[in-house]
Amino acid sequence: MPEQNTASVEGALARLAAVIESRKVANGGDPEKSYVARLLHKGPDAFLKKIGEEATEVVMAAKDVDHGADKGKILYEVADLWFHSMIALSHYGLTPAEVVAELERREGTSGLEEKALRKAQERAAQEGAAKQ
């Protein structure tokens, strides 16, 4: 499978994000004619439920691939998961570029170290709140 360059991937995500943004009711999106507009109009419960469903479908597709199914199943389901996650990002005023920036921030950081630091910060915050 060919590797795409970063600019191409980010450009595709930015274009999709712009389409999602244009589907917001406030931007003229019509819930009767647009799936995205309908999900956004229904509110967070609707698109968050879809994210949960799609995450489960990614897991099931991966399990199927472990038992001989085509890897394309995972791609299809991850695309659905990313799409619905991008609807959530739009709703909350966030962008794919911000997600990429967060991933870049984490680059070169041990996941175990990151998790330990996060737990230490949470513990310190809880102790600080308890003292007040």
Side-chain angles (χ1 to χ4, degrees):
M1 193 170 305
E3 284 290 319
Q4 292 188 358
N5 66 41
T6 304
S8 173
V9 172
E10 289 179 18
L13 292 173
R15 287 189 304 276
L16 179 55
V19 170
I20 290 169
E21 192 68 25
S22 76
R23 297 298 200 272
K24 288 182 173 179
V25 175
N27 295 333
D30 182 351
E32 297 297 318
K33 296 180 181 175
S34 165
Y35 173 71
V36 172
R38 186 176 317 134
L39 280 178
L40 289 167
H41 180 70
K42 287 181 178 181
D45 285 350
F47 57 78
L48 295 175
K49 179 181 177 187
K50 286 300 295 179
I51 290 170
E53 290 171 4
E54 298 304 341
T56 300
E57 289 174 11
V58 169
V59 171
M60 293 183 332
K63 292 302 226 172
D64 288 347
V65 169
D66 285 342
H67 292 93
D70 186 319
K71 290 180 185 179
K73 266 184 107 164
I74 296 173
L75 290 175
Y76 182 87
E77 297 303 342
V78 169
D80 283 350
L81 177 60
W82 284 18
F83 175 77
H84 289 90
S85 295
M86 288 179 65
I87 292 171
L89 288 173
S90 177
H91 174 80
Y92 293 110
L94 300 167
T95 67
E98 290 172 288
V99 175
V100 170
E102 175 60 17
L103 291 170
E104 288 172 340
R105 183 191 69 76
R106 296 178 185 187
E107 189 174 358
T109 303
S110 161
L112 296 175
E113 290 172 9
E114 173 94 10
K115 186 174 182 179
L117 176 60
R118 211 171 32 246
K119 283 188 175 188
Q121 290 171 336
E122 289 170 5
R123 221 176 4 261
Q126 289 172 352
E127 289 171 3
K131 289 179 183 179
Q132 293 178 353

